């Protein structure tokens, strides 16, 4: 539902400016591509990747035919790019926080990961299943901490999983119930 909403907003803006909505939508999509590039640079710098590799990656990301096509065509994939990068960034920070940070950082990483998955799921519904797969390493970490009787890591892993699951599930289930009420199907369509 996120991409049709973006098109509706572009249509309203285009009406106010007396332009075809495609021009406004393409501007929005190119802006999303630029935002995605900034997020990618930030993620790679925090991962302490060399500047040359960052430059080549950003150059490829900016000139890749698949990425550029999704930015200039009216396809929904472009709206998921920043969400995917936020998923990776938040999971990485959550993983690090479980191992060596305070509980507030675990909570923040889990919240951001849940919200990023909501965003991605509202662009492409398949991300609901990706969320389940993406949490497997955190479940394994929880089980490992449980077996080793590392209560601190076990608690942090459990907090991460519960918060991420709650933040992700509530909006998705709410949307499904709204769809059930208005369309008769408990689906994410």
């Amino acid at each position: 539902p996120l991409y049709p909403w973006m098109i509706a907003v572009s249509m309203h803006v285009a009406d106010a400016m007396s332009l075809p909505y495609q021009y406004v939508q393409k501007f929005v999509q190119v802006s999303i591509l630029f935002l995605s590039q900034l997020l990618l640079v930030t993620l790679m710098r925090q991962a302490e990747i060399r500047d040359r590799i960052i430059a080549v990656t950003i150059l490829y990301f900016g000139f890749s035919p698949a990425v550029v096509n999704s930015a200039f065509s009216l396809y929904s994939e472009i709206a998921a790019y920043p969400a995917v990068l936020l998923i990776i960034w938040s999971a990485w920070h959550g993983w690090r926080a479980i191992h060596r940070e305070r509980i507030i950082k675990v909570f923040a990483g889990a919240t951001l990961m849940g919200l990023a998955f909501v965003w991605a799921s509202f662009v492409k519904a398949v991300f609901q299943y990706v969320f389940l797969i993406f949490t497997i390493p955190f479940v394994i970490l929880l089980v490992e901490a449980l077996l080793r009787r590392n209560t601190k890591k076990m608690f942090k892993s459990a907090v991460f999983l519960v918060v991420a699951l709650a933040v992700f599930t509530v909006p998705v289930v709410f949307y499904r119930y709204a769809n059930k009420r208005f369309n008769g199907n408990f689906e994410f369509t």
Side-chain angles (χ1 to χ4, degrees):
L2 182 63
Y3 192 71
W5 174 79
M6 287 173 55
I7 290 177
V9 170
S10 293
M11 287 179 168
H12 286 293
V13 171
D15 284 345
M17 299 174 69
S18 298
L19 293 170
Y21 85 93
Q22 291 93 339
Y23 292 143
V24 176
Q25 184 63 27
K26 286 180 183 181
F27 175 77
V28 169
Q29 290 187 189
V30 169
S31 300
I32 291 172
L33 178 63
F34 181 70
L35 172 66
S36 299
Q37 288 176 318
L38 290 175
L39 285 170
L40 186 57
V41 167
T42 303
L43 179 65
M44 294 176 80
R45 289 227 169 139
Q46 287 186 355
E48 298 176 2
I49 295 175
R50 294 183 191 160
D51 287 340
R52 288 183 189 170
I53 295 173
I54 293 173
V56 169
T57 303
I58 295 301
L59 198 62
Y60 176 75
F61 191 76
F63 291 116
S64 166
V67 174
V68 171
N69 188 37
S70 68
F72 286 103
S73 301
L74 295 178
Y75 294 119
S76 63
E77 286 79 12
I78 190 71
Y81 291 170
V84 169
L85 292 168
L86 284 174
I87 288 167
I88 294 167
W89 185 77
S90 60
W92 177 51
H93 278 285
W95 186 269
R96 289 179 58 195
I98 289 170
H99 286 88
R100 55 182 175 215
E101 299 287 339
R102 297 187 323 246
I103 193 70
I104 192 72
K105 294 221 178 186
V106 173
F107 186 82
T111 302
L112 185 58
M113 189 177 97
L115 290 173
F117 265 108
V118 168
W119 176 357
S121 295
F122 273 67
V123 175
K124 292 288 184 186
V126 72
F127 278 100
Q128 294 175 58
Y129 304 108
V130 174
F131 174 80
L132 298 173
I133 294 167
F134 212 78
T135 57
I136 290 172
F138 293 97
V139 171
I140 292 171
L141 184 63
L142 175 66
V143 171
E144 177 193 8
L146 181 69
L147 293 174
R148 292 187 181 191
R149 291 183 169 78
N150 186 341
T151 55
K152 197 172 187 181
K153 192 181 286 187
M154 182 181 64
F155 177 72
K156 288 179 181 179
S157 300
V159 165
F160 186 90
L161 286 167
V162 168
V163 169
L165 186 63
V167 168
F168 173 72
T169 304
V170 169
V172 169
V173 169
F174 178 75
Y175 184 81
R176 285 179 174 219
Y177 274 117
N179 200 17
K180 171 76 171 161
R181 181 173 178 224
F182 295 114
N183 298 320
N185 297 320
F186 187 70
E187 294 291 329
F188 201 86
T189 58

